[in-house]
Amino acid sequence: MNTNIDRYLLAEKAGTEGVWDWDLRSDTLYLSPRFKDFLGLPPGDPSRETNRPNDWLSLVHPEDVDWLHASFEAQMVGLSVPFQIEHRVRRADLTADSATESKANPHWRWLVCRGMAVMDDAGEPVRLVGSVADITDRKHAERELRRSEERYALAAAGAADGLWDWHIDSGEIYYSPRWKAMLGFEDAEIGGTVAEWFQRVPPGDLDGLRTAIELHLSGERPHLQHEFRIRDKSGAEMWMLVRGLAVRDDKGAAIRMAGSMTDITARKKAEQQILFNAVHDGMTGLPNRTLLLDRIGQALDRNRRVGARPFATIIIDLDRFKAINDALGTSAGDRVLRIVAKRLDASRRVGDTLARLSADEFAVLIDEMDDAGDALAAAEHMARSISRPVTLEEGHEFVLTASIGVALSQTGYDRAEDMLRDASLAMYRAKSGGRARIDVFDTNLRRQAMAAMRMEADLRAALEQGQLCLHYQPIVLLETGAIAGFEALMRWNHPERGLVPPVEFIPLAEETGLIAPMGRWALGAAVRQLAAWQCRFQRPTPLFMSVNVSTRQFRDDDIVGAVRDLLDVVPIPPSSLKLELTESLLVQDPDECRMLMQSLRDMDVRLSIDDFGTGYSSLAYLHKLPVDVLKIDRSFVKAVSTGEGNAAIVQVIAGLATILRLDAVAEGVETEDEAVYLRGLCKYAQGYHFARPALPEAVERLLAAEDEHIALPAPA
């Protein structure tokens, strides 16, 4: 709001009008200092104070307030022409006695109010903005003008607006000194002809001015009121508002017309700025989403004509731009975006529309193409312009890449929003395919997106309706084959599809943020199950439970608080809870991760690194982290049976764990040969060779059989 207020205050200083801004959603009203002065309200702090609409409307004359409301309502239902209405107000600082005087008393001031609605992307009004000017002097002058020539002369000498008096029969016209001064002329420099006025009006506005005058003179309009441009003595254009009223003979023919002319240049500039800001991005000056959708809509309309040439919409998303903001700060990020905007603007074809949609997302409307190759060529040209090295003043140099999606008009669209959506889908596919790619939308992509939307909705319902469950896979001591603990694995019992494998829904849960509440639920369910098993199956060393913790859950869901609250109410030894973290999570922000991990370790909770060696190298910081367990990925364990060279990695990881005094767990053990090979290297193992993940009832049968020294059954 402060930026808008500063702009309003600057515009106000340049003219004689006050400014108002009505936020329809919060029902608050900004009144500029000059407007408050018109109303007799205390000035307050213009950058902080807000008013309610009734602070203004309660002061409006009873005969005028309904017309003012009607003007507001017409704008809110989509009237595109700004309104202008004159109304009376009583100053708020009058005494109570003054407020009850007759309606014609001098305490009523005349204001001219102009305004327009500002719409959101959905076409709904969100603000009413406008200006007001105190026209009391002019209204008095007009009244006096009709009463006597003497009073008219006095008003002409003292009014702030320029006054004019046109004797139509003779063609002679009188311009007040103020009328001439507004244009920068001395009194003697302008004669008494209509040409002195009309010859200074630009040709594009002259016909409209003449028409407005003729409509009033002919009686088709009750009065003259028209906005137009005029050139001052230096040749600069000014905006004027002319008002006038004709004097007629007995037959109704106009013989004379007199009125005023007001300089509205400051107000028009403010309106133009408001309109520009509504459809342009403030930082880059490029068109925004609203204007781009309008241009795409126009292209769709043209495309319906016979023989129309195809067009395309391109969406450009900068890859890993967040890393620039994180490393260099948002100020440097903004400078980079302005550099990219200039490069894209320079690389677009004349006539194409470049827009900024969001922080690091741009779009281009490629109009009038020969074929799809033109769109791809344009996308490749823009990708090359983005990938040129960027050097900032501080000496930082880096190379950007972009993921680009293309939607072609040949696909067939009725709405601009649909075409922009499909270009976004293609861009996301390009990004998920490895970034720095260009992808073209096809209808199969839309089907995939719809399927993903349905799955997301189903997954939200699954969380709310208790469709999620946990399966538990035993983790055994390799030396004895006894069950030492379990890994809790999430499953989804879909009401129609049955058991959905985690590979289908866990990535979606990560993307949508559902993984955090799902992970919290899984943690609680697993710990409560562990407590029940520890109570029922007494062991010298209590059974433990390994629970996977996602990146979002670890960083964004207060994992430390969640674990602390859980351990306060569930009676298990904290050391029997093992949280499994991915290797990639640990390298994103090692310092923050170390702090969170240490807080968990201080509670005696154990920590594992899952799939060690498959992601980023952790060797540089592994010894600094409070880790207890390394889990060796199935891809390395499998090499033991196949004889691949990766089998040696198992020995390396196991040896590293021994050096760092960590436990090693081999995952995915499926054969006796693998189990024998690992027995001298790792303390624990899990896999189908020992047991598949199962529901609690099946797990309890295994534990009971083990307690009775019955051999474990062969896996199914």
Side-chain angles (χ1 to χ4, degrees), residues 119-417:
M119 305 293 186
D120 62 14
D121 292 346
E124 295 295 324
V126 293
R127 292 163 56 204
L128 290 172
V129 297
S131 63
V132 292
D134 188 333
I135 59 169
T136 305
D137 292 342
R138 176 176 65 75
K139 296 294 286 189
H140 289 170
E142 290 175 356
R143 186 174 65 247
E144 295 301 320
L145 177 64
R146 290 191 292 268
R147 290 182 179 178
S148 71
E149 292 292 334
E150 180 181 357
R151 290 183 179 180
Y152 165 72
L154 291 173
D161 293 343
L163 303 180
W164 51 275
D165 186 356
W166 182 11
H167 293 265
I168 297 172
D169 291 340
S170 66
E172 182 182 356
I173 188 168
Y174 166 77
Y175 302 108
S176 71
R178 175 60 182 159
W179 193 100
K180 301 172 184 178
M182 286 192 301
L183 299 179
F185 291 98
E186 298 293 334
D187 192 24
E189 291 183 281
I190 290 184
T193 66
V194 176
E196 295 280 7
W197 177 357
F198 288 178
Q199 70 184 3
R200 293 179 171 83
V201 178
D205 289 14
L206 184 56
D207 288 344
L209 176 61
R210 288 183 184 275
T211 299
I213 292 174
E214 289 298 328
L215 288 173
H216 175 53
L217 292 178
S218 66
E220 294 183 51
R221 289 183 181 173
H223 59 271
L224 168 66
Q225 181 168 299
H226 186 72
E227 295 179 359
F228 65 97
R229 291 170 297 168
I230 192 169
R231 294 187 181 91
D232 65 10
K233 186 175 182 179
S234 68
E237 286 188 351
M238 305 172 62
W239 275 96
M240 293 290 179
L241 170 65
V242 63
R243 297 185 182 89
L245 191 65
V247 178
R248 303 180 185 274
D249 60 18
D250 295 339
K251 298 179 181 180
I255 58 175
R256 181 180 176 188
M257 183 164 58
S260 64
M261 196 160 75
T262 306
D263 182 355
I264 59 171
T265 305
R267 190 254 298 173
K268 293 295 286 187
K269 287 182 177 179
E271 288 177 357
Q272 291 167 357
Q273 187 64 50
I274 290 172
L275 289 172
F276 182 87
N277 291 344
V279 294
H280 287 80
D281 171 53
M283 186 178 72
T284 63
L286 295 175
N288 62 11
R289 181 184 297 270
T290 300
L291 184 52
L292 177 68
L293 286 171
D294 180 71
R295 298 278 174 84
I296 296 174
Q298 294 177 32
L300 287 172
D301 291 339
R302 291 194 301 271
N303 199 53
R304 296 184 181 98
R305 302 170 189 164
V306 176
R309 299 173 68 189
F311 65 96
T313 297
I314 296 175
I315 286 189
I316 304 164
D317 188 88
L318 301 181
D319 295 328
R320 299 186 179 91
F321 180 75
K322 184 178 181 296
I324 296 176
N325 277 339
D326 292 344
L328 304 180
T330 56
S331 177
D334 289 348
R335 278 179 282 157
V336 171
L337 289 174
R338 283 190 284 268
I339 290 172
V340 171
K342 289 180 180 178
R343 290 182 178 182
L344 291 174
D345 193 43
S347 64
R348 69 175 176 86
R349 303 181 314 172
V350 175
D352 292 345
T353 301
L354 169 66
R356 183 183 178 218
L357 303 185
S358 62
D360 57 353
E361 192 172 81
F362 297 85
V364 187
L365 170 62
I366 308 295
D367 212 351
E368 297 287 325
M369 304 186 310
D370 291 329
D371 53 39
D374 289 348
L376 292 175
E380 290 169 355
H381 184 48
M382 291 176 182
R384 287 194 298 271
S385 71
I386 291 172
S387 64
R388 297 199 308 270
V390 175
T391 303
L392 299 181
E393 294 86 346
E394 301 89 339
H396 300 293
E397 183 173 295
F398 45 86
V399 174
L400 291 169
T401 61
S403 298
I404 300 177
V406 181
L408 302 172
S409 61
Q410 294 96 317
T411 302
Y413 295 99
D414 293 322
R415 302 190 322 138
E417 292 83 355

Side-chain angles (χ1 to χ4, degrees), residues 642-656:
T642 61
E644 297 175 6
N646 285 350
I649 297 178
V650 175
Q651 296 181 3
V652 173
I653 297 175
L656 179 64

Side-chain angles (χ1 to χ4, degrees), residues 36-55:
K36 288 186 176 183
D37 183 56
F38 292 163
L39 299 177
L41 296 172
D45 183 350
S47 66
R48 296 183 181 178
E49 185 176 342
T50 57
N51 297 78
R52 291 292 174 184
N54 201 47
D55 294 342

Side-chain angles (χ1 to χ4, degrees), residues 639-674:
V640 173
S641 299
T642 61
E644 297 175 6
N646 285 350
I649 297 178
V650 175
Q651 296 181 3
V652 173
I653 297 175
L656 179 64
T658 301
I659 294 171
L660 297 176
R661 298 182 181 179
L662 308 177
D663 291 336
V665 180
E667 294 185 286
V669 179
E670 296 185 355
T671 68
E672 178 65 24
D673 290 342
E674 291 171 356

